[in-house]
């Protein structure tokens, strides 16, 4: 016999089966020893009240063995099959490759950056020596920008594909099975590189190919058909179709597409700062108690406000995390956030950003479709100049930023290159800074203590998404003008994180396989 239950438990009760087995037994009216197994299938935290509850969805087995709750996927050998080019080895590209193998096609991936091990060394140089390799950094390289992030897997894009399948594949390649049950799953930047490396090994073992240090510089076009790629070493690769999964920071790809007459569209994006607090302060605000204790994870938050007809919201919140230097070229300053699997840093950070619409950028309109991209560049270069032309980041105490005064000193921070006190309230574009300042005040009304002198704002968080979209046909997923070209993932404007990018990679693989039949 098996039976499903929903349990509302204290954090301690939910922490171990020893504590919740008696609760289940009581619901069944049996002795705890009569229960064969309890499998947790869903888990979430309800912190809306002072008495925090953990909600567990469990399946109870009596008199029978528990069944395997998730699927394993099998990948055959495609070494002699039809090749499909994939540009980029982020989640969109990697999951497109795995799906193509399932469908009997040979993926050939071209990645401008390095494998995940070599990439780590280049990232370390950014922290230690302030040296940014334009092809190997937090944005470029095996696994894409998500590899060195919190590894968040939550997505609202559930109608576009199977989130469950994406999570099951990640578990198959080494992710913690807990991601299958958590309401807001994450892997952690310390574990995700290993998962990515094992996916690469599977693609190669199945006869696929992956080329690192291989930047795509042009498309091979014959009329309205894309028939291959040109690489930075001059080599040409002919193929049946191309999945373009380059991520939101590959500006040279947008420029190359534009030169080839491939349609691009301006779209809404967001820009702002990283805001960092002591994690203990966020715990106190969110859990309504001085100490979260041993049974609760580092607290998270999510805020959305409307300020002067534009959204101001938190983005990519990293509890127990770090702020990192995420520039993808020399001469720019960009910050992002990440967390390890245990989320045990003493700091909490999040992007705090303002919606930017194409019509907001009148002074950049002479750049045409590239207005948003040029606006991004201008602010990133400004922040680089404010910090002394290095990866030191301009920063300001939160209270000083809101009050409009320069900080005399700065609190401790997770940002290892270092912070430089700067008047971000007046240096950032007014459309951004004024809305951020008002947004912080509004957020503090909902979470008292958010507006504090204990934390900092750090500039600039500018790569929340691409300011451009590569338009594609809604049904075939091919570019609206160029056949056999499949714009995919965040860089094309169709995803917003690891899971949604992976889903879009699978969708593009399915669509092109259907066309190639």
């Amino acid at each position: 016999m098996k039976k499903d239950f929903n349990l509302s438990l204290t954090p301690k009760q939910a922490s171990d089966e020893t504590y919740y087995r008696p609760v289940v037994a009581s619901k069944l009216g049996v002795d705890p020893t009569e229960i064969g197994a309890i499998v947790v299938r869903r888990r979430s935290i309800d912190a809306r009240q002072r008495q925090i509850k953990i909600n567990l969805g469990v399946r109870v087995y009596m008199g029978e063995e528990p069944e395997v709750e998730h699927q394993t996927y099998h990948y055959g050998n495609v070494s002699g099959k039809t090749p499909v080019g994939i540009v980029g080895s982020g989640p969109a590209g990697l999951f497109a490759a795995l799906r193509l193998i399932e469908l009997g096609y040979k993926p050939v991936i071209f990645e401008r950056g390095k494998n995940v091990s070599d990439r780590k060394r280049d990232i370390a140089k950014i922290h230690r020596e302030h040296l940014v390799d334009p092809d190997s950094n937090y944005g470029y390289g095996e696994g894409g920008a998500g590899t060195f992030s919190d590894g968040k897997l939550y997505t609202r894009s559930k109608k576009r594909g199977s989130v469950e399948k994406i999570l099951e594949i990640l578990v198959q390649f080494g992710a913690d099975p807990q991601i299958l049950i958590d309401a807001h799953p994450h892997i952690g930047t310390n574990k995700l590189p290993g998962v990515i490396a094992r996916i690469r090994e599977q693609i190669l073992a199945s006869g696929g190919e992956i080329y690192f240090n291989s930047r795509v510089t042009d498309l091979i076009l014959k009329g309205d058909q894309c028939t291959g790629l040109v690489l930075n070493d001059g080599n040409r690769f002919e193929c049946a179709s191309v999945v373009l999964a380059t991520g939101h920071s590959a500006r040279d790809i947008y420029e190359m597409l534009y030169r080839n007459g491939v349609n691009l569209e301006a779209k809404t994006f967001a820009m702002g700062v990283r805001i960092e607090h002591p994690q203990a302060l966020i715990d106190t605000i969110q859990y309504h108690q001085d100490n979260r204790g041993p049974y609760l994870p580092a607290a998270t938050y999510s805020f959305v406000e409307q300020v002067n007809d534009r959204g101001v919201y938190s983005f990519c919140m990293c509890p127990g995390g770090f702020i990192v230097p995420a520039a993808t070229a020399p001469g720019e300053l960009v910050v992002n956030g990440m967390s390890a699997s245990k989320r045990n840093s003493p700091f909490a950070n999040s992007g705090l950003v303002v919606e930017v619409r194409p019509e907001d950028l009148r002074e950049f309109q002479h750049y045409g479709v590239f207005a948003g991209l040029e606006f991004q560049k201008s602010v990133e270069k400004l922040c680089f100049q404010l910090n002394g032309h290095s990866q030191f980041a301009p920063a300001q105490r939160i209270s000083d930023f809101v009050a409009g005064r320069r900080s005399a000193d700065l609190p401790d921070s997770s940002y290892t290159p270092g912070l430089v006190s700067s008047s971000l309230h007046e240096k950032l574009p007014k459309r951004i800074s004024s809305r951020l300042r008002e947004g912080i005040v509004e957020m503090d009304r909902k979470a008292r203590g958010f507006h504090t002198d204990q934390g900092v704002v750090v500039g600039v968080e500018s790569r929340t998404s691409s300011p451009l979209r590569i338009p594609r046909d809604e049904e075939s997923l091919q570019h609206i003008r160029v056949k056999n070209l499949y714009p995919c993932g965040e860089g094309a404007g169709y995803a917003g994180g690891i899971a949604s990018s992976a889903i879009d990679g699978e969708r593009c693989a399915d669509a092109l396989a259907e066309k190639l039949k």
Side-chain angles (χ1 to χ4, degrees):
M1 183 190 82
K2 63 184 178 184
K3 192 170 179 65
D4 291 344
F5 283 106
N6 292 319
L7 304 175
S8 181
L9 307 170
T10 67
K12 181 177 180 179
Q13 283 177 317
S15 69
D16 193 281
E17 186 179 321
T18 303
Y19 301 124
Y20 58 77
R21 178 178 279 258
V23 179
V24 173
S26 176
K27 282 183 173 286
L28 286 170
V30 301
D31 189 274
T33 59
E34 297 180 47
I35 298 173
I38 303 173
V39 176
V40 178
R41 306 180 75 227
R42 296 179 305 280
R43 178 171 53 222
S44 63
I45 300 174
D46 185 351
R48 291 174 295 178
Q49 307 298 325
R50 287 195 171 274
Q51 184 61 50
I52 296 168
K53 294 294 184 181
I54 308 296
N55 297 318
L56 296 185
V58 300
R59 178 164 289 172
V60 183
Y61 292 86
M62 297 180 66
E64 62 180 281
E65 291 297 313
E67 59 198 25
V68 176
E69 296 276 330
H70 58 87
Q71 187 173 339
T72 299
Y73 298 87
H74 302 282
Y75 303 96
N77 192 298
V78 293
S79 55
K81 304 295 184 179
T82 301
V84 173
I86 299 175
V87 188
S89 68
L94 291 176
F95 276 79
L98 290 175
R99 182 62 180 149
L100 286 169
I101 293 169
E102 284 188 273
L103 296 169
Y105 294 90
K106 177 180 177 177
V108 182
I109 298 176
F110 298 96
E111 168 57 54
R112 70 187 297 160
K114 301 178 182 179
N115 67 51
V116 74
S117 296
D118 291 340
R119 187 180 173 195
K120 285 181 181 179
R121 287 189 277 272
D122 291 326
I123 286 173
K125 287 183 179 179
I126 303 175
H127 286 263
R128 290 196 309 262
E129 304 172 38
H130 297 217
L131 296 176
V132 179
D133 183 328
D135 286 320
S136 180
N137 45 63
Y138 275 103
Y140 302 147
E142 186 177 22
T147 302
F148 299 100
S149 69
D150 186 65
K152 285 187 239 2
L153 302 170
Y154 177 73
T155 178
R156 294 184 177 88
S157 302
K158 296 180 182 179
K159 293 182 180 178
R160 297 186 177 185
S162 173
V163 178
E164 290 74 21
K165 180 181 179 183
I166 300 304
L167 299 181
E168 287 170 344
I169 290 172
L170 289 167
V171 168
Q172 182 171 331
F173 289 103
D176 190 325
Q178 297 301 305
I179 67 173
L180 299 173
I181 64 175
D182 284 334
H184 291 83
H186 80 110
I187 296 178
T189 191
N190 55 321
K191 294 190 175 181
L192 196 50
V195 175
I196 296 300
R198 284 185 283 273
I199 291 175
R200 177 225 308 155
E201 291 164 3
Q202 178 63 69
I203 292 169
L204 296 175
S206 293
E209 298 176 19
I210 302 178
Y211 297 94
F212 296 109
N213 300 302
S214 296
R215 180 160 37 86
V216 169
T217 58
D218 210 347
L219 303 177
I220 300 174
L221 298 173
K222 295 181 180 177
D224 66 349
Q225 307 279 321
C226 178
T227 62
L229 302 164
V230 179
L231 305 175
N232 55 329
D233 60 3
N235 284 327
R236 297 164 67 88
F237 172 73
E238 305 275 351
C239 58
S241 295
V242 170
V243 177
L244 192 66
T246 53
H248 59 47
S249 291
R251 292 165 172 166
D252 58 322
I253 292 294
Y254 298 130
E255 292 163 358
M256 177 271 288
L257 295 174
Y258 187 78
R259 287 197 307 271
N260 279 295
V262 177
N263 305 60
L264 302 172
E265 297 174 348
K267 65 182 265 296
T268 296
F269 61 106
M271 180 181 288
V273 294
R274 272 275 147 183
I275 188 166
E276 183 174 69
H277 297 80
Q279 181 64 51
L281 175 59
I282 299 301
D283 292 342
T284 299
I285 293 171
Q286 298 297 84
Y287 291 146
H288 324 293
Q289 53 194 33
D290 292 336
N291 190 322
R292 75 170 187 258
Y295 302 112
L296 286 170
T300 67
Y301 60 77
S302 177
F303 297 117
V304 180
E305 302 291 342
Q306 282 289 316
V307 179
N308 297 329
D309 198 35
R310 292 291 181 269
V312 178
Y313 56 94
S314 60
F315 173 84
C316 186
M317 195 269 160
C318 297
F322 307 85
I323 300 177
V324 298
T328 53
E332 62 188 28
L333 194 288
V334 183
V335 292
N336 202 346
M338 70 178 193
S339 297
S341 56
K342 292 184 178 179
R343 291 176 162 172
N344 55 0
S345 158
F347 301 99
N349 73 78
S350 174
L352 192 65
V353 295
V354 177
E355 176 188 9
V356 180
R357 300 177 187 173
E359 60 265 31
D360 296 336
L361 304 175
R362 292 187 180 89
E363 69 272 38
F364 289 87
Q365 288 307 310
H366 59 286
Y367 290 106
V369 74
F370 292 110
L373 190 149
E374 292 298 327
F375 176 61
Q376 273 186 337
K377 283 184 185 179
S378 70
V379 179
E380 292 167 6
K381 290 177 180 178
L382 167 69
C383 285
F384 184 74
Q385 293 162 6
L386 289 176
N387 68 8
H389 296 81
S390 69
Q391 290 304 307
F392 292 123
Q396 199 168 1
R397 286 185 185 266
I398 297 168
S399 56
D400 291 336
F401 178 71
V402 173
R405 58 177 177 256
R406 188 184 183 96
S407 296
D409 58 7
L410 298 171
D412 291 339
S413 170
S414 66
Y415 187 74
T416 57
L419 302 179
V420 175
S421 179
S422 179
S423 300
L424 287 172
H425 65 278
E426 62 181 26
K427 297 297 185 182
L428 291 175
K430 187 175 180 181
R431 66 171 67 90
I432 303 293
S433 63
S434 62
R435 289 185 171 100
L436 286 176
R437 293 162 71 185
E438 189 171 333
I440 290 170
V441 172
E442 291 300 315
M443 292 169 190
D444 188 71
R445 291 195 174 102
K446 299 175 181 177
R448 292 294 182 186
F450 192 80
H451 176 197
T452 176
D453 65 356
Q454 297 181 49
V456 289
V457 294
V458 183
V460 60
E461 169 77 67
S462 54
R463 306 285 180 92
T464 59
S465 63
S466 172
L468 294 168
R469 179 181 290 110
I470 308 172
R472 68 189 187 191
D473 181 80
E474 290 185 6
E475 292 191 10
S476 73
L477 303 190
Q478 297 174 97
H479 185 267
I480 57 172
R481 190 183 71 78
V482 181
K483 307 305 179 187
N484 305 325
L485 179 66
Y486 293 81
C488 184
E490 281 199 45
Y494 299 99
I498 294 172
S500 59
S501 294
I503 287 170
D504 203 51
E506 288 212 327
R507 288 186 72 210
C508 287
D510 285 334
L512 73 84
E514 183 66 26
K515 183 175 184 292
L516 290 175
K517 278 184 179 178

